[in-house]
mmCIF file of all heavy atoms in Angstrom:
data_model
loop_
_atom_site.group_PDB
_atom_site.id
_atom_site.type_symbol
_atom_site.label_atom_id
_atom_site.label_comp_id
_atom_site.label_asym_id
_atom_site.label_seq_id
_atom_site.Cartn_x
_atom_site.Cartn_y
_atom_site.Cartn_z
ATOM 1 N N THR A 638 -16.791 -8.901 -2.833
ATOM 2 C CA THR A 638 -17.274 -10.211 -2.380
ATOM 3 C C THR A 638 -18.741 -10.208 -1.962
ATOM 4 O O THR A 638 -19.397 -11.235 -2.018
ATOM 5 C CB THR A 638 -16.482 -10.708 -1.150
ATOM 6 O OG1 THR A 638 -16.707 -9.792 -0.079
ATOM 7 C CG2 THR A 638 -15.008 -10.813 -1.440
ATOM 8 N N ASP A 688 -15.062 -10.810 -8.535
ATOM 9 C CA ASP A 688 -15.912 -11.697 -7.736
ATOM 10 C C ASP A 688 -17.356 -11.202 -7.856
ATOM 11 O O ASP A 688 -18.281 -11.972 -8.098
ATOM 12 C CB ASP A 688 -15.449 -11.703 -6.268
ATOM 13 C CG ASP A 688 -16.092 -12.835 -5.465
ATOM 14 O OD1 ASP A 688 -16.543 -13.819 -6.083
ATOM 15 O OD2 ASP A 688 -16.132 -12.732 -4.223
ATOM 16 N N HIS A 692 -20.423 -13.100 -9.580
ATOM 17 C CA HIS A 692 -21.671 -13.349 -8.837
ATOM 18 C C HIS A 692 -22.871 -12.988 -9.715
ATOM 19 O O HIS A 692 -23.850 -13.725 -9.781
ATOM 20 C CB HIS A 692 -21.734 -12.509 -7.550
ATOM 21 C CG HIS A 692 -20.777 -12.969 -6.490
ATOM 22 N ND1 HIS A 692 -20.438 -12.191 -5.412
ATOM 23 C CD2 HIS A 692 -20.079 -14.121 -6.350
ATOM 24 C CE1 HIS A 692 -19.576 -12.850 -4.646
ATOM 25 N NE2 HIS A 692 -19.346 -14.021 -5.206
ATOM 26 N N VAL A 751 -24.601 -18.974 -6.615
ATOM 27 C CA VAL A 751 -23.519 -18.850 -7.585
ATOM 28 C C VAL A 751 -23.513 -20.103 -8.470
ATOM 29 O O VAL A 751 -24.395 -20.946 -8.359
ATOM 30 C CB VAL A 751 -22.152 -18.617 -6.897
ATOM 31 C CG1 VAL A 751 -22.036 -17.184 -6.415
ATOM 32 C CG2 VAL A 751 -21.930 -19.594 -5.766
ATOM 33 N N HIS A 755 -17.750 -20.632 -9.402
ATOM 34 C CA HIS A 755 -17.496 -20.785 -7.971
ATOM 35 C C HIS A 755 -17.260 -22.241 -7.595
ATOM 36 O O HIS A 755 -16.410 -22.540 -6.767
ATOM 37 C CB HIS A 755 -18.629 -20.180 -7.140
ATOM 38 C CG HIS A 755 -18.444 -18.713 -6.890
ATOM 39 N ND1 HIS A 755 -18.636 -17.770 -7.867
ATOM 40 C CD2 HIS A 755 -18.049 -18.032 -5.785
ATOM 41 C CE1 HIS A 755 -18.376 -16.572 -7.369
ATOM 42 N NE2 HIS A 755 -18.022 -16.702 -6.099
ATOM 43 N N HIS A 769 -9.850 -16.720 -3.172
ATOM 44 C CA HIS A 769 -11.155 -16.684 -3.833
ATOM 45 C C HIS A 769 -11.192 -15.801 -5.085
ATOM 46 O O HIS A 769 -11.608 -16.250 -6.157
ATOM 47 C CB HIS A 769 -12.184 -16.195 -2.804
ATOM 48 C CG HIS A 769 -13.600 -16.290 -3.265
ATOM 49 N ND1 HIS A 769 -14.268 -17.485 -3.322
ATOM 50 C CD2 HIS A 769 -14.475 -15.342 -3.706
ATOM 51 C CE1 HIS A 769 -15.500 -17.274 -3.758
ATOM 52 N NE2 HIS A 769 -15.651 -15.982 -4.003
ATOM 53 N N ASN A 773 -11.380 -17.346 -8.842
ATOM 54 C CA ASN A 773 -12.543 -17.165 -9.711
ATOM 55 C C ASN A 773 -12.124 -16.688 -11.087
ATOM 56 O O ASN A 773 -12.649 -17.129 -12.104
ATOM 57 C CB ASN A 773 -13.486 -16.115 -9.117
ATOM 58 C CG ASN A 773 -14.324 -16.668 -7.993
ATOM 59 O OD1 ASN A 773 -14.353 -17.876 -7.767
ATOM 60 N ND2 ASN A 773 -14.996 -15.785 -7.287
HETATM 61 ZN ZN1 ZN B 830 -17.548 -15.177 -4.721
#
Side-chain angles (χ1 to χ4, degrees):
T638 63
D688 193 21
H692 289 164
V751 284
H755 274 74
H769 188 75
N773 282 350

